[in-house]
Amino acid sequence: MYAYSISVSELFVDIPESGNADRIPVHIDISVLNIGCEYVGIDIQDDLGRHEVGFIDNTLKTPENNGAGCRINASFKINRV
């Protein structure tokens, strides 16, 4: 028997005060505990219809805690909604 732990997280990005660009730059640097890098990924979704599952461009995953954790560093742009 296996025990599974599921965690769902969302990140909401506000429009920068200084700009009115069509795309907003986002940079994340997150450490996830007790989940190996092979199980961690980034999905991007916005209200204009963009939906990318398993985003990997400009993404670096670094194992932490002897492979029991993962640090994710990624940069991408999202559509301004």
Side-chain angles (χ1 to χ4, degrees):
M1 175 182 255
Y2 295 97
Y4 293 95
S5 175
I6 297 174
S7 177
V8 177
S9 300
E10 295 181 5
L11 171 69
F12 295 93
V13 180
D14 289 329
I15 299 170
E17 292 180 20
S18 63
N20 54 4
D22 289 337
R23 294 176 62 81
I24 301 168
V26 176
H27 179 80
I28 59 172
D29 188 352
I30 300 170
S31 290
V32 180
L33 303 176
N34 301 321
I35 301 175
C37 287
E38 65 269 22
Y39 303 110
V40 178
I42 298 173
D43 294 352
I44 301 172
Q45 184 174 354
D46 65 28
D47 288 340
L48 294 179
R50 176 183 179 190
H51 188 198
E52 291 186 42
V53 177
F55 178 79
I56 58 171
D57 296 337
N58 301 319
T59 300
L60 177 64
K61 295 187 208 178
T62 307
E64 289 189 334
N65 196 20
N66 294 324
C70 187
R71 182 175 181 178
I72 303 172
N73 190 307
S75 296
F76 52 89
K77 292 185 179 184
I78 59 171
N79 290 321
R80 180 176 160 205
V81 178

